[in-house]
Amino acid sequence: MIRWAIVGSGGIAERFADDFQYVRGAELAGVFSRRPESAQKFAARFKLAHSYASLDALLEADIDAVYIATPHIEHPSYAIACLQAGLAVLSEKPAAPNLAQLESVLAVAEQHKVLFMEAMKPAFYPLYRQIKMLLDDGAIGEVNFVDAGFSYLFHDRAHKVFDPAQAGGSLLDVGIYPAFLACDLLGPALQVKALLDIGASGVDEAAVVSTRHAHGMSNFFCGMRSASDGRAMIGGSKGHLVIEGKWWNPCKALLVRESGVSDILSAAYLGDGLCHETQHFTDLLRDGKTRSEIMHFDLSRAMIRTLDMARADAGLRFPFE
Protein backbone atom coordinates (compact mmCIF):
# COMPACT_ATOMS: atom_id res chain seq x y z
CA MET A 1 0.00 0.00 0.00
CA ILE A 2 1.49 3.32 -1.13
CA ARG A 3 0.82 6.03 1.46
CA TRP A 4 0.25 9.55 0.14
CA ALA A 5 0.11 13.04 1.62
CA ILE A 6 -0.90 16.36 0.07
CA VAL A 7 0.92 19.68 0.36
CA GLY A 8 -1.77 22.34 0.02
CA SER A 9 -5.47 22.41 0.83
CA GLY A 10 -7.02 24.50 -1.96
CA GLY A 11 -9.27 23.64 -4.86
CA ILE A 12 -6.90 21.36 -6.80
CA ALA A 13 -6.02 19.51 -3.58
CA GLU A 14 -9.73 18.90 -3.01
CA ARG A 15 -10.16 17.53 -6.53
CA PHE A 16 -7.15 15.24 -6.02
CA ALA A 17 -8.58 13.94 -2.75
CA ASP A 18 -12.03 13.43 -4.30
CA ASP A 19 -10.47 11.34 -7.07
CA PHE A 20 -8.35 9.25 -4.75
CA GLN A 21 -11.22 6.80 -4.28
CA TYR A 22 -10.40 5.44 -7.76
CA VAL A 23 -6.69 4.83 -7.08
CA ARG A 24 -5.81 1.20 -6.39
CA GLY A 25 -3.14 0.12 -3.94
CA ALA A 26 -2.85 3.52 -2.31
CA GLU A 27 -3.96 5.34 0.82
CA LEU A 28 -4.32 9.09 1.33
CA ALA A 29 -2.91 9.54 4.82
CA GLY A 30 -2.59 13.26 5.52
CA VAL A 31 -2.33 16.87 4.47
CA PHE A 32 -0.10 19.85 5.22
CA SER A 33 -0.96 23.52 4.72
CA ARG A 34 0.70 26.71 5.89
CA ARG A 35 -2.71 27.48 7.43
CA PRO A 36 -3.19 24.80 10.12
CA GLU A 37 -6.93 25.42 10.40
CA SER A 38 -7.33 24.84 6.67
CA ALA A 39 -5.42 21.57 6.87
CA GLN A 40 -7.53 20.43 9.81
CA LYS A 41 -10.77 21.13 7.98
CA PHE A 42 -9.41 19.36 4.88
CA ALA A 43 -8.41 16.30 6.91
CA ALA A 44 -11.81 16.16 8.57
CA ARG A 45 -13.67 16.49 5.27
CA PHE A 46 -11.74 13.69 3.58
CA LYS A 47 -11.36 11.56 6.72
CA LEU A 48 -7.56 11.69 6.66
CA ALA A 49 -5.66 10.32 9.62
CA HIS A 50 -3.22 13.22 9.84
CA SER A 51 -3.15 16.99 9.58
CA TYR A 52 0.53 17.85 9.77
CA ALA A 53 1.41 20.91 11.84
CA SER A 54 4.55 21.64 9.83
CA LEU A 55 6.38 20.60 6.69
CA ASP A 56 8.99 18.89 8.87
CA ALA A 57 6.22 16.81 10.46
CA LEU A 58 5.12 15.67 7.01
CA LEU A 59 8.69 14.89 5.95
CA GLU A 60 9.15 12.70 9.03
CA ALA A 61 5.80 10.92 8.68
CA ASP A 62 5.26 7.36 7.50
CA ILE A 63 4.41 8.24 3.90
CA ASP A 64 5.82 7.31 0.50
CA ALA A 65 4.56 9.97 -1.90
CA VAL A 66 3.54 13.62 -1.90
CA TYR A 67 1.24 15.54 -4.20
CA ILE A 68 2.15 19.24 -4.34
CA ALA A 69 -0.94 21.40 -4.81
CA THR A 70 0.26 24.88 -3.86
CA PRO A 71 0.63 28.06 -5.97
CA HIS A 72 3.05 27.72 -8.93
CA ILE A 73 5.86 29.67 -7.33
CA GLU A 74 6.01 27.31 -4.36
CA HIS A 75 6.21 24.07 -6.36
CA PRO A 76 10.03 23.92 -6.65
CA SER A 77 10.84 24.56 -2.99
CA TYR A 78 8.36 21.99 -1.70
CA ALA A 79 9.45 19.45 -4.32
CA ILE A 80 13.11 19.84 -3.40
CA ALA A 81 12.41 19.49 0.34
CA CYS A 82 10.39 16.31 -0.20
CA LEU A 83 12.87 14.78 -2.64
CA GLN A 84 15.74 15.44 -0.25
CA ALA A 85 13.75 13.60 2.42
CA GLY A 86 13.38 10.62 0.08
CA LEU A 87 9.70 11.13 -0.70
CA ALA A 88 8.41 10.60 -4.22
CA VAL A 89 6.88 13.78 -5.65
CA LEU A 90 3.95 14.31 -8.02
CA SER A 91 3.98 18.06 -8.60
CA GLU A 92 0.99 19.93 -9.96
CA LYS A 93 1.71 21.75 -13.21
CA PRO A 94 3.72 23.77 -13.89
CA ALA A 95 6.39 21.96 -11.90
CA ALA A 96 8.29 25.28 -11.83
CA PRO A 97 7.62 28.81 -13.13
CA ASN A 98 10.62 28.71 -15.47
CA LEU A 99 13.19 26.30 -16.88
CA ALA A 100 15.99 27.33 -14.52
CA GLN A 101 13.92 26.46 -11.45
CA LEU A 102 12.71 23.23 -13.03
CA GLU A 103 16.30 22.17 -13.64
CA SER A 104 17.03 22.69 -9.93
CA VAL A 105 14.21 20.29 -9.04
CA LEU A 106 15.24 17.68 -11.60
CA ALA A 107 18.84 17.82 -10.42
CA VAL A 108 17.77 16.94 -6.87
CA ALA A 109 15.58 14.09 -8.13
CA GLU A 110 18.55 12.74 -10.11
CA GLN A 111 20.94 13.15 -7.23
CA HIS A 112 18.72 11.33 -4.73
CA LYS A 113 17.33 8.83 -7.26
CA VAL A 114 13.76 9.55 -6.15
CA LEU A 115 10.64 9.39 -8.32
CA PHE A 116 9.48 12.80 -9.57
CA MET A 117 6.83 13.62 -12.13
CA GLU A 118 4.92 16.69 -13.28
CA ALA A 119 1.16 16.22 -13.06
CA MET A 120 -0.08 16.76 -16.63
CA LYS A 121 -3.43 14.96 -16.45
CA PRO A 122 -4.44 14.66 -20.15
CA ALA A 123 -1.37 12.52 -20.85
CA PHE A 124 -2.92 9.69 -18.81
CA TYR A 125 -6.55 9.74 -19.90
CA PRO A 126 -7.63 6.47 -21.56
CA LEU A 127 -8.58 8.25 -24.80
CA TYR A 128 -5.29 10.11 -25.06
CA ARG A 129 -3.36 6.88 -24.57
CA GLN A 130 -5.47 5.38 -27.40
CA ILE A 131 -4.81 8.42 -29.60
CA LYS A 132 -1.06 8.19 -29.02
CA MET A 133 -1.06 4.54 -30.09
CA LEU A 134 -2.99 5.36 -33.26
CA LEU A 135 -0.67 8.23 -34.12
CA ASP A 136 2.40 6.09 -33.47
CA ASP A 137 0.92 3.49 -35.82
CA GLY A 138 0.60 6.12 -38.58
CA ALA A 139 -3.19 6.51 -38.53
CA ILE A 140 -2.88 10.03 -39.99
CA GLY A 141 0.61 9.70 -41.40
CA GLU A 142 3.35 11.94 -40.08
CA VAL A 143 2.00 14.29 -37.43
CA ASN A 144 3.09 17.81 -38.38
CA PHE A 145 0.62 20.32 -36.94
CA VAL A 146 -1.20 20.98 -33.66
CA ASP A 147 -3.87 23.60 -33.05
CA ALA A 148 -5.26 23.81 -29.52
CA GLY A 149 -6.24 26.17 -26.77
CA PHE A 150 -7.57 26.57 -23.25
CA SER A 151 -9.38 29.77 -22.31
CA TYR A 152 -11.83 30.37 -19.49
CA LEU A 153 -13.59 33.15 -17.61
CA PHE A 154 -12.02 34.12 -14.29
CA HIS A 155 -13.50 37.04 -12.37
CA ASP A 156 -11.65 37.05 -9.04
CA ARG A 157 -9.05 39.73 -9.65
CA ALA A 158 -7.59 39.17 -6.17
CA HIS A 159 -6.66 35.59 -7.04
CA LYS A 160 -2.98 34.60 -7.26
CA VAL A 161 -3.38 33.94 -10.99
CA PHE A 162 -3.43 37.73 -11.47
CA ASP A 163 -0.31 38.28 -9.31
CA PRO A 164 3.04 38.56 -11.19
CA ALA A 165 4.96 37.87 -7.96
CA GLN A 166 3.27 34.46 -7.78
CA ALA A 167 3.98 33.59 -11.43
CA GLY A 168 0.44 34.41 -12.46
CA GLY A 169 -0.91 34.66 -15.97
CA SER A 170 -2.73 32.50 -18.49
CA LEU A 171 0.42 30.92 -19.97
CA LEU A 172 1.42 29.13 -16.78
CA ASP A 173 -2.10 28.57 -15.55
CA VAL A 174 -3.62 26.97 -18.66
CA GLY A 175 -1.28 27.64 -21.61
CA ILE A 176 0.93 24.84 -20.39
CA TYR A 177 -1.77 22.37 -21.50
CA PRO A 178 -1.55 23.13 -25.24
CA ALA A 179 2.21 23.50 -24.83
CA PHE A 180 2.17 19.91 -23.58
CA LEU A 181 0.15 18.72 -26.58
CA ALA A 182 2.45 20.44 -29.07
CA CYS A 183 5.67 19.24 -27.42
CA ASP A 184 4.40 15.71 -26.84
CA LEU A 185 3.45 15.28 -30.49
CA LEU A 186 6.02 17.46 -32.28
CA GLY A 187 9.04 17.58 -29.98
CA PRO A 188 10.64 20.59 -28.27
CA ALA A 189 9.92 24.04 -29.67
CA LEU A 190 12.76 25.51 -31.74
CA GLN A 191 11.14 28.91 -32.40
CA VAL A 192 8.33 30.72 -30.61
CA LYS A 193 6.40 33.85 -31.53
CA ALA A 194 3.91 35.19 -29.01
CA LEU A 195 1.27 37.89 -28.73
CA LEU A 196 0.45 38.54 -25.08
CA ASP A 197 -2.33 40.75 -23.77
CA ILE A 198 -0.89 42.17 -20.56
CA GLY A 199 -3.63 43.48 -18.29
CA ALA A 200 -3.52 46.06 -15.52
CA SER A 201 -2.59 43.13 -13.29
CA GLY A 202 0.81 42.91 -14.97
CA VAL A 203 0.29 39.31 -16.12
CA ASP A 204 -0.69 37.87 -19.48
CA GLU A 205 -4.47 37.64 -19.38
CA ALA A 206 -4.62 36.24 -22.91
CA ALA A 207 -2.04 34.87 -25.32
CA VAL A 208 -1.71 33.55 -28.85
CA VAL A 209 1.46 31.53 -29.48
CA SER A 210 2.91 30.08 -32.69
CA THR A 211 5.73 27.57 -32.47
CA ARG A 212 8.08 25.69 -34.78
CA HIS A 213 9.24 22.23 -33.75
CA ALA A 214 11.57 19.65 -35.22
CA HIS A 215 8.57 17.70 -36.51
CA GLY A 216 6.13 20.45 -37.44
CA MET A 217 4.39 23.59 -36.24
CA SER A 218 1.71 24.49 -33.74
CA ASN A 219 -0.60 27.32 -32.86
CA PHE A 220 -2.22 27.68 -29.47
CA PHE A 221 -4.13 30.19 -27.40
CA CYS A 222 -4.90 30.64 -23.73
CA GLY A 223 -6.69 33.19 -21.62
CA MET A 224 -8.58 34.06 -18.47
CA ARG A 225 -11.28 36.40 -19.74
CA SER A 226 -12.90 34.55 -22.63
CA ALA A 227 -14.50 31.14 -22.82
CA SER A 228 -13.74 28.49 -25.44
CA ASP A 229 -15.06 25.03 -26.26
CA GLY A 230 -11.51 23.73 -26.08
CA ARG A 231 -11.29 21.40 -29.08
CA ALA A 232 -7.87 20.45 -30.45
CA MET A 233 -6.84 19.53 -34.00
CA ILE A 234 -3.89 17.32 -34.82
CA GLY A 235 -2.83 17.41 -38.47
CA GLY A 236 -0.87 14.79 -40.34
CA SER A 237 0.37 13.92 -43.82
CA LYS A 238 -2.50 11.44 -44.34
CA GLY A 239 -5.39 12.88 -42.37
CA HIS A 240 -6.24 14.68 -39.16
CA LEU A 241 -7.72 14.06 -35.73
CA VAL A 242 -9.98 16.33 -33.70
CA ILE A 243 -10.34 15.95 -29.93
CA GLU A 244 -13.77 17.35 -29.22
CA GLY A 245 -15.10 19.34 -26.28
CA LYS A 246 -12.55 20.13 -23.61
CA TRP A 247 -9.58 18.33 -25.11
CA TRP A 248 -7.64 18.40 -21.81
CA ASN A 249 -10.38 16.08 -20.46
CA PRO A 250 -10.45 13.91 -23.60
CA CYS A 251 -13.36 11.51 -23.99
CA LYS A 252 -14.37 11.84 -27.66
CA ALA A 253 -12.42 12.36 -30.87
CA LEU A 254 -12.88 12.14 -34.63
CA LEU A 255 -10.16 10.62 -36.79
CA VAL A 256 -10.44 11.61 -40.47
CA ARG A 257 -8.25 9.76 -42.96
CA GLU A 258 -6.96 11.21 -46.24
CA SER A 259 -9.56 9.14 -48.12
CA GLY A 260 -12.34 10.87 -46.20
CA VAL A 261 -13.17 7.80 -44.14
CA SER A 262 -13.63 8.78 -40.50
CA ASP A 263 -13.71 6.95 -37.18
CA ILE A 264 -15.29 8.12 -33.94
CA LEU A 265 -13.11 7.45 -30.92
CA SER A 266 -14.38 7.47 -27.37
CA ALA A 267 -13.23 6.37 -23.94
CA ALA A 268 -14.61 7.22 -20.53
CA TYR A 269 -12.48 8.44 -17.67
CA LEU A 270 -12.92 8.02 -13.94
CA GLY A 271 -13.97 10.79 -11.59
CA ASP A 272 -12.44 14.15 -12.41
CA GLY A 273 -9.62 12.51 -14.37
CA LEU A 274 -6.84 13.21 -11.88
CA CYS A 275 -6.87 9.61 -10.69
CA HIS A 276 -5.27 8.33 -13.90
CA GLU A 277 -1.99 10.20 -13.39
CA THR A 278 -2.08 9.27 -9.70
CA GLN A 279 -2.53 5.59 -10.54
CA HIS A 280 0.38 5.73 -12.99
CA PHE A 281 2.59 7.36 -10.39
CA THR A 282 1.53 4.89 -7.68
CA ASP A 283 2.34 1.96 -9.96
CA LEU A 284 5.75 3.43 -10.81
CA LEU A 285 6.59 3.81 -7.14
CA ARG A 286 5.42 0.30 -6.28
CA ASP A 287 7.58 -1.07 -9.10
CA GLY A 288 10.66 0.79 -7.86
CA LYS A 289 10.81 3.14 -10.84
CA THR A 290 12.23 6.65 -10.53
CA ARG A 291 11.04 8.03 -13.90
CA SER A 292 7.89 8.05 -16.01
CA GLU A 293 8.25 7.24 -19.69
CA ILE A 294 5.02 9.17 -20.38
CA MET A 295 5.65 12.43 -18.51
CA HIS A 296 9.43 12.26 -18.70
CA PHE A 297 11.86 15.00 -17.70
CA ASP A 298 12.57 16.13 -21.26
CA LEU A 299 8.87 16.69 -21.90
CA SER A 300 8.57 18.81 -18.76
CA ARG A 301 11.61 20.76 -19.90
CA ALA A 302 10.14 21.28 -23.37
CA MET A 303 6.81 22.52 -22.00
CA ILE A 304 8.19 25.17 -19.65
CA ARG A 305 10.88 26.20 -22.12
CA THR A 306 8.15 26.89 -24.68
CA LEU A 307 6.41 29.22 -22.21
CA ASP A 308 9.73 30.83 -21.26
CA MET A 309 10.35 31.52 -24.95
CA ALA A 310 6.83 32.95 -25.35
CA ARG A 311 7.33 35.35 -22.47
CA ALA A 312 10.79 36.29 -23.73
CA ASP A 313 9.45 36.99 -27.22
CA ALA A 314 6.83 39.33 -25.74
CA GLY A 315 9.22 40.89 -23.21
CA LEU A 316 7.42 39.64 -20.10
CA ARG A 317 9.44 38.72 -17.01
CA PHE A 318 8.33 37.78 -13.51
CA PRO A 319 9.56 40.06 -10.67
CA PHE A 320 11.64 37.23 -9.20
CA GLU A 321 13.55 36.56 -12.44
Side-chain angles (χ1 to χ4, degrees), residues 150-154 221 223-230 248:
F150 190 155
S151 184
Y152 67 109
L153 295 171
F154 201 100
F221 65 88
M224 305 184 295
R225 57 190 187 202
S226 61
S228 70
D229 67 354
W248 52 92

Side-chain angles (χ1 to χ4, degrees), residues 246-307:
K246 297 179 179 178
W247 73 263
W248 52 92
N249 294 329
C251 60
K252 186 176 181 180
L254 179 68
L255 190 156
V256 182
R257 304 177 192 278
E258 187 178 17
S259 64
V261 175
S262 62
D263 297 314
I264 296 175
L265 311 175
S266 63
Y269 57 89
L270 297 173
D272 198 29
L274 297 176
C275 55
H276 297 292
E277 63 187 3
T278 310
Q279 187 68 65
H280 173 77
F281 191 92
T282 296
D283 293 343
L284 289 175
L285 187 55
R286 183 184 301 108
D287 293 341
K289 304 290 181 61
T290 59
R291 301 291 174 265
S292 168
E293 295 182 357
I294 296 176
M295 267 306 302
H296 50 83
F297 285 8
D298 283 343
L299 182 51
S300 287
R301 288 184 175 106
M303 288 156 44
I304 197 62
R305 184 171 180 268
T306 299
L307 303 188

Side-chain angles (χ1 to χ4, degrees), residues 1-5 20 23-29 62-66 88 278 281-287:
M1 185 69 69
I2 301 299
R3 290 172 56 81
W4 283 80
F20 210 84
V23 182
R24 303 179 307 277
E27 175 188 1
L28 189 54
D62 180 23
I63 57 174
D64 307 296
V66 172
T278 310
F281 191 92
T282 296
D283 293 343
L284 289 175
L285 187 55
R286 183 184 301 108
D287 293 341

Side-chain angles (χ1 to χ4, degrees), residues 148-168:
F150 190 155
S151 184
Y152 67 109
L153 295 171
F154 201 100
H155 302 292
D156 182 6
R157 308 294 295 189
H159 193 272
K160 63 182 181 295
V161 78
F162 289 103
D163 184 357
Q166 295 194 68

